[in-house]
Amino acid sequence: MGHNGIINYEVDIQDNKIEDLKILKHSETSGIFNQVIDKLKHNIIEEQSFNVDTISGATVMTQALLKSADQAVNDADITVTPTPKKKAVAKTEHYKTDVLIIGGGEAGLVAGCRALAQGQTVTLVEKNGYLGGATILNGSNVVGTGSKVAAQIFDNNHDTPEMLAQDVARESLETNYPALTDLMVKNIGPAIDFISDFADLHYQKAQTQTAEHSINRQIELPSASSFEFIQKVSKAFAAAGGQILLDTRVESLTFNRNHQVNGVIAAQHKTTVKIKARSVVLATGGHGASKPMRGAESEGIDYYGPMTSTGDAYQFNKEIDLQTHDLGWYKIYPHGVEVEPGVAKLTTYASKLATDMGSIYVNTKGERIVNESNVYTAFRNAILKQADKVAYLIMDERTWKKFYDLLILHDFTAPEIKKFFDQKDQRPVFAKGDLKTIAAAAGIDEARLAQTLSDYQGYVKDGHDREFGRDPKFLHAYEGDTYYVVEQRDRFATTLGGYSADAKSLQLLTSKNAPVANYFGAGEVIGGANGHDSMPSMMNTWGISSGYVAGAAASENAKVQENAGDDEANIVAIVGTNASKSYNRKLLYAMKDLFDTQVNFEISEIKDLPLFNEDDLDNEPEAVKQLAAKIEAADGVVIGVPEYDHAVPAALKSAIEWLSCAEHPFKDKLVMIVGTSLGIQGTVRAQMNLRQILDAPGVDAQVMPGNEFMLPQAGTKFDEADHLNDDGSEHFLKQCFSHFLDSLPTTTAKAPVTNK
């Protein structure tokens, strides 16, 4: 049992070895399943085991496959020997890029492609094990207003951005943010032309041109599926040099010494991923699956979007106090069946066919509630007006058969539907029988329902719906005495509010309306362009156009940063011993892990320096020259000093002698001293000794006063990944290093970059 229904598959075993996992039939979302299954199969075969990691974002489905496959192999009395694998050890990986994209949906991919096209290096991180985000559940329909693509498709239909903006404002009842709407309608044309060329997309006229649009302007890909868009755009992104990191969940932002955003820290299984970037684009999607973020306005409205739309960004952005607006706006549709509390599956295709064949909608009073041939917003609003926010679709047997076929075609299974009929007095309501039976099953007033149906049959006979003015071509008589009733609820997948952004560059704004340097937004997480209700095709329109704009703005910001020069402090850390094993080396690497998001932290060794010999001054060793050059270029120096016989090691003393005789790189250089030892004094005497040496004529360093960091009992203070495991010591080290940074020369710091 997968997420949407039964998955039929077979595991091929040859000589007690797993050869293949073949999928025979499934009802999962294809765009997700097709990306996930090959990765899962590869892991199973490579590790010869079903005890492998599930795929993020598809946990239910992949866990079900793994458990059932393992059970099947055990039931067949087959023993498979797992491939021995190394124990996973926590580690940290470092990346550096011009533009970082957070989120691998439609907006994030378009932003990444735009930045690549403008010559930037781009890294994209996605928390799921697949790309597409909420887009993967949509069709590919979008508007092409102002594009060359649309001009060819519609033979110059005279559509304009101004006309599109007027439609958006009208349909959203003027709740849209005009400046953001303007950005969307003026950029969707260039964006469609750009991404079509970049990813070899071939748009055509959409089969459905919905009434909400005042002119035919909707286009779609040949498959009509967003998976085609995601697949082709991600392939083009990678081919152009873009880097994609899946299963990589952002946990926090990082900041430079001026407290400007300069990257993220993310988790990738047991690996910590640190990425530095000149520009960051937030394209994480919405928060519909996060019940704590939804207010009373969403009660009675079921969710049918990806369960991974949990609003993660609202957690890792807390430190910078971003401005939000209208978080209670949702794109609400009718035609939903509640398959579990608060969660729906859509029945749009089946429900639309049923009403085309003459079916009606009633409430618990047995009264019709809407013109069933009206636009979807009319259905939605009619259901919202009901006290229980539920409507019931009443159909005859001939209609049910067609309705059933479309349910099976779109995400439902036969056993699932049978269960709905079998479970009496539970949601969702599916019932069959005479009027009395279905009315009782749904809790509908039987007498009023009978009168409503009688009235409707009269309207059909007269060819005129006196109650709601339904189009006569959809007035069809009920046949026979057997009726079916199916519950219908409003549902949503997309949130329409979110973070606020500058309406020209999509640079994110704080609650005080100040732009956040180096930080941009795109897609669903930025709300407002479509107001409280988006027309069909307009969520894809916003995703593509906002990604196009944000990618260009992030690229330009990265160029400005590069031209201004690196504003991060360069710190050289010196391992104060030539020993191959040293807790002080561990301490410096722990510092690098803690502080390399704020500064460039380079660790240098002295183990290759020869013993100081004054006779060799005229033939200075190359290793000495190289170390001296690093110190000379650095903004500050950190020295990790062990303690040997109440003093510094001879190797460190010798290194400083080279660097105070043949070279003088320490002159006026700010130095921070740290040290750790197995004893309880943490190199206190060695640090005092080192301060004296650094103060000597010819060295002339500036040693940080009053910031001695001494770590005692080193053998118990590091974990298996060589990170500090003592919170108190780590806190004090951060405090000392912060004072050190504050004391560095300010000439390296640059003013924040703000895009106008």
Side-chain angles (χ1 to χ4, degrees):
M1 176 60 73
H3 186 268
N4 292 339
I6 296 294
I7 302 172
N8 294 321
Y9 68 97
E10 63 184 30
V11 180
D12 291 354
I13 307 287
Q14 181 72 29
D15 298 328
N16 292 339
K17 184 178 179 181
I18 303 170
E19 297 285 346
D20 200 2
L21 186 149
K22 295 177 181 176
I23 303 299
L24 306 177
K25 185 178 180 181
H26 73 88
S27 55
E28 302 300 293
T29 302
S30 295
I32 297 174
F33 191 84
N34 293 341
Q35 295 183 71
V36 164
I37 194 63
D38 285 343
K39 181 186 296 186
L40 188 70
K41 183 191 302 186
H42 174 269
N43 292 344
I44 290 170
I45 295 173
E46 185 177 69
E47 298 187 26
Q48 286 297 297
S49 171
F50 300 106
N51 185 26
V52 299
D53 290 332
T54 56
I55 308 298
S56 300
T59 304
V60 172
M61 184 267 289
T62 52
Q63 182 63 52
L65 276 168
L66 293 169
K67 290 180 71 173
S68 59
D70 192 37
Q71 185 64 49
V73 171
N74 286 332
D75 290 348
D77 201 24
I78 296 171
T79 301
V80 176
T81 303
T83 301
K85 58 180 180 179
K86 295 179 181 178
K87 179 184 176 182
V89 178
K91 62 180 181 178
T92 301
E93 291 187 355
H94 299 265
Y95 298 87
K96 200 164 187 177
T97 188
D98 293 326
V99 177
L100 170 64
I101 311 292
I102 308 175
E106 177 179 61
L109 283 168
V110 172
C113 291
R114 186 86 196 277
L116 282 172
Q118 296 192 354
Q120 306 304 303
T121 59
V122 182
T123 297
L124 182 150
V125 296
E126 166 58 52
K127 70 175 182 178
N128 293 321
Y130 57 88
L131 294 169
T135 306
I136 208 74
L137 302 180
N138 298 340
S140 63
N141 52 303
V142 65
V143 305
T145 303
S147 67
K148 296 176 183 177
V149 169
Q152 293 178 346
I153 293 173
F154 293 107
D155 192 23
N156 195 7
N157 61 353
H158 305 292
D159 188 18
T160 66
E162 291 73 23
M163 291 172 61
L164 178 57
Q166 289 171 6
D167 287 353
V168 169
R170 182 190 66 250
E171 292 298 319
S172 69
L173 303 180
E174 309 290 339
T175 59
N176 61 304
Y177 287 57
L180 287 176
T181 304
D182 190 57
L183 177 146
M184 174 175 67
V185 301
K186 288 182 177 177
N187 282 283
I188 187 57
I192 287 294
D193 287 337
F194 164 76
I195 202 63
S196 295
D197 287 341
F198 192 91
D200 193 28
L201 301 177
H202 299 280
Y203 280 99
Q204 58 190 29
K205 182 179 179 180
Q207 294 183 37
T208 301
Q209 300 292 319
T210 59
E212 291 87 347
H213 291 268
S214 61
I215 194 169
N216 287 350
R217 60 164 69 102
Q218 291 159 280
I219 59 178
E220 65 186 5
L221 295 173
S223 67
S225 168
S226 62
F227 179 51
E228 180 181 355
F229 181 94
I230 297 299
Q231 190 177 39
K232 288 186 174 180
V233 174
S234 61
K235 183 179 179 181
F237 175 82
Q243 182 179 48
I244 298 173
L245 302 178
L246 297 177
D247 286 306
T248 306
R249 179 187 293 273
V250 172
E251 297 187 330
S252 61
L253 298 173
T254 60
F255 305 89
N256 61 23
R257 59 188 297 205
N258 300 316
H259 205 69
Q260 299 169 342
V261 174
N262 74 340
V264 300
I265 299 176
Q268 189 184 71
H269 301 299
K270 284 196 172 184
T271 300
T272 297
V273 177
K274 293 187 174 183
I275 307 173
K276 277 188 179 180
R278 292 188 170 104
S279 295
V280 180
V281 177
L282 181 71
T284 50
H287 57 275
S290 174
K291 290 184 179 180
M293 290 189 67
R294 283 155 45 188
E297 75 284 338
S298 70
E299 291 179 7
I301 305 170
D302 289 340
Y303 181 67
Y304 76 101
M307 300 311 293
T308 55
S309 291
T310 49
D312 300 31
Y314 296 92
Q315 298 303 314
F316 65 71
N317 280 311
K318 280 184 176 179
E319 186 173 348
I320 51 177
D321 187 29
L322 292 180
Q323 182 182 141
T324 61
H325 67 93
D326 305 306
L327 296 182
W329 281 359
Y330 313 105
K331 174 54 184 172
I332 303 173
Y333 291 92
H335 309 144
V337 167
E338 188 175 70
V339 294
E340 57 184 89
V343 177
K345 282 187 179 181
L346 63 86
T347 64
T348 300
Y349 304 102
S351 298
K352 177 67 166 60
L353 178 63
T355 54
D356 286 352
M357 294 178 69
S359 298
I360 63 173
Y361 279 97
V362 302
N363 56 20
T364 53
K365 296 177 183 178
E367 302 166 338
R368 279 177 72 200
I369 64 171
V370 73
N371 170 359
E372 292 85 358
S373 62
N374 208 334
V375 295
Y376 292 165
T377 53
F379 285 91
R380 179 199 67 195
N381 294 339
I383 294 174
L384 287 175
K385 288 179 181 177
Q386 306 309 310
D388 55 1
K389 295 182 180 177
V390 181
Y392 299 93
L393 181 59
I394 310 296
M395 64 190 96
D396 57 18
E397 191 151 26
R398 69 181 176 87
T399 304
W400 164 256
K401 291 177 181 178
K402 299 291 187 181
F403 184 90
Y404 177 85
D405 289 343
L406 282 182
L407 289 183
I408 296 298
L409 186 62
H410 297 283
D411 289 342
F412 288 81
T413 64
E416 183 180 28
I417 297 171
K418 182 178 184 301
K419 184 182 74 172
F420 295 156
F421 278 101
D422 292 342
Q423 55 186 25
K424 308 299 182 183
D425 303 320
Q426 294 184 45
R427 296 290 183 185
V429 173
F430 275 66
K432 167 189 176 183
D434 57 20
L435 278 185
K436 180 177 182 179
T437 300
I438 68 164
I444 300 172
D445 184 309
E446 179 191 349
R448 187 69 185 90
L449 177 61
Q451 184 61 52
T452 295
L453 279 171
S454 177
D455 290 345
Y456 177 74
Q457 295 283 60
Y459 302 154
V460 173
K461 185 177 180 180
D462 296 342
H464 174 60
D465 179 5
R466 292 194 297 273
E467 192 170 4
F468 287 103
R470 187 175 182 178
D471 190 324
K473 69 181 179 183
F474 298 122
L475 292 174
H476 302 290
Y478 279 75
E479 299 178 2
D481 297 323
T482 300
Y483 298 91
Y484 288 77
V485 59
V486 175
E487 167 189 308
Q488 296 278 269
R489 289 176 176 262
D490 283 343
R491 58 187 168 80
F492 80 97
T494 308
T495 48
L496 295 173
Y499 285 125
S500 299
D502 177 82
K504 292 184 178 179
S505 66
L506 291 181
Q507 190 167 8
L508 293 167
L509 303 173
T510 69
S511 61
K512 296 180 180 178
N513 224 38
V516 181
N518 313 327
Y519 205 15
F520 305 84
E524 189 180 351
V525 77
I526 307 299
N530 284 302
H532 85 290
D533 185 25
S534 67
M535 295 189 296
S537 302
M538 293 310 294
M539 289 310 298
N540 284 340
T541 299
W542 173 243
I544 293 172
S545 60
S546 63
Y548 178 78
V549 172
S555 175
E556 182 60 31
N557 182 76
K559 291 176 183 176
V560 171
Q561 294 276 35
E562 183 179 16
N563 292 337
D566 193 351
D567 64 354
E568 293 182 331
N570 294 308
I571 305 300
V572 170
I574 298 174
V575 180
T577 178
N578 58 2
S580 60
K581 293 182 179 180
S582 169
Y583 282 109
N584 281 278
R585 184 180 287 107
K586 284 189 177 185
L587 176 58
L588 292 181
Y589 274 97
M591 290 181 69
K592 178 179 176 66
D593 187 68
L594 286 172
F595 305 127
D596 67 347
T597 59
Q598 298 172 261
V599 298
N600 293 318
F601 197 97
E602 181 180 0
I603 297 175
S604 295
E605 299 280 355
I606 61 171
K607 58 186 178 182
D608 294 329
L609 271 59
L611 183 66
F612 176 72
N613 187 336
E614 196 170 1
D615 294 342
D616 294 334
L617 286 181
D618 292 336
N619 190 22
E620 181 186 358
E622 186 61 31
V624 173
K625 292 180 180 179
Q626 291 177 0
L627 181 57
K630 288 182 180 180
I631 295 172
E632 184 70 42
D635 297 302
V637 178
V638 176
I639 300 178
V641 58
E643 184 168 314
Y644 292 2
D645 299 330
H646 292 183
V648 301
L652 179 57
K653 180 65 167 65
S654 173
I656 296 175
E657 287 170 354
W658 278 118
L659 298 170
S660 62
C661 191
E663 304 273 0
H664 299 277
F666 279 112
K667 183 172 176 58
D668 297 326
K669 191 72 64 177
L670 193 68
V671 178
M672 176 181 179
I673 301 173
V674 299
T676 184
S677 68
L678 293 171
I680 62 172
Q681 291 188 315
T683 72
V684 60
R685 291 185 178 89
Q687 291 201 28
M688 292 173 62
N689 180 215
L690 182 55
R691 283 175 178 271
Q692 289 179 316
I693 295 170
L694 293 172
D695 191 44
V699 184
D700 299 318
Q702 295 184 21
V703 183
M704 281 289 294
N707 278 274
E708 298 90 349
F709 180 79
M710 304 165 192
L711 184 68
Q713 300 174 324
T716 64
K717 296 298 173 69
F718 298 92
D719 62 20
E720 62 178 6
D722 290 342
H723 300 147
L724 287 175
N725 60 12
D726 182 83
D727 291 341
S729 297
E730 182 177 309
H731 177 76
F732 183 55
L733 178 57
K734 288 179 177 178
Q735 188 179 68
C736 292
F737 193 75
S738 178
H739 293 161
F740 175 58
L741 291 186
D742 289 343
S743 301
L744 290 177
T746 57
T747 53
T748 59
K750 295 177 177 61
V753 175
T754 301
N755 294 86
K756 297 293 186 182

